[in-house]
Amino acid sequence: MAYHLHRLQLTGKPLREALQGKAYLATALSQGRASIDMDFISSLATSLNITAEELSRTPDEVEAREWGFYRKSALNQKDVWQRAHQLWTENGLSLRQASAIIGMKPPNVANAINGVQPAVFDWQHAEQLAKAINLSPPESFLPPALKEDPGSPHR
């Protein structure tokens, strides 16, 4: 369900509001750390004004791959940003150019690289930069130690 909450942009404030201010539960759900049943999913879906199917269906192969990338990147933010920086630099892009490609301000990207300001290098960033530097697959932005089983929705 965490993937779907992120996919539908229902993390943070919308989720806390649907859960009537239960911030800890909202965080646990968005991080995939809460045990839930179908009754809870149905109730939450109603509160979010979506169908239970939207929250409970199994991610397809593409979605599972994206979610696997996101989870690894979220858990290893600085390492992934440093790997991305290495790859775009090796391929002739400046920090300013790479920032423009992924739609972030250069100071925010520099802070993410240095681990000063948390930011997830997500699938969309990887796809945009991979296209710009002719790199495939987007998982190339993950440090080598994180690449095993890139399609797993649970990583």
Side-chain angles (χ1 to χ4, degrees):
M1 182 171 76
Y3 168 76
H4 296 299
L5 291 170
H6 285 269
R7 175 182 63 84
L8 298 167
Q9 299 179 358
L10 294 173
T11 58
K13 186 178 180 181
L15 186 55
R16 285 190 308 274
E17 287 176 356
L19 294 169
Q20 301 171 339
K22 296 177 183 168
Y24 181 79
L25 180 56
T27 300
L29 289 171
S30 67
Q31 293 177 351
R33 295 185 291 110
S35 295
I36 53 174
D37 60 22
M38 202 56 206
D39 288 338
F40 178 85
I41 292 171
S42 295
S43 175
L44 179 60
T46 300
S47 297
L48 292 168
N49 201 29
I50 59 174
T51 66
E53 169 66 16
E54 287 275 8
L55 291 178
S56 62
R57 70 172 175 77
T58 301
D60 64 28
E61 188 176 320
V62 171
E63 292 171 335
R65 184 176 173 201
E66 291 176 12
W67 182 241
F69 182 95
Y70 178 87
R71 295 284 295 165
K72 289 176 183 181
S73 184
L75 292 170
N76 301 279
Q77 292 177 19
K78 184 178 176 182
D79 293 336
V80 174
W81 277 103
Q82 289 177 345
R83 172 73 174 157
H85 180 245
Q86 173 193 356
L87 290 173
W88 80 58
T89 301
E90 287 173 359
N91 285 278
L93 290 180
S94 68
L95 184 135
R96 186 169 304 282
Q97 291 168 318
S99 298
I101 290 167
I102 63 174
M104 288 180 67
K105 294 178 181 177
N108 294 345
V109 172
N111 286 338
I113 292 166
N114 294 315
V116 174
Q117 179 180 349
V120 177
F121 185 85
D122 64 24
W123 183 260
Q124 288 71 33
H125 295 142
E127 279 191 319
Q128 292 162 338
L129 278 173
K131 183 177 178 183
I133 62 175
N134 296 317
L135 183 69
S136 183
E139 286 90 357
S140 299
F141 289 103
L142 295 173
L146 301 178
K147 288 185 189 174
E148 53 286 339
D149 194 20
S152 172
H154 305 293
R155 297 226 161 231

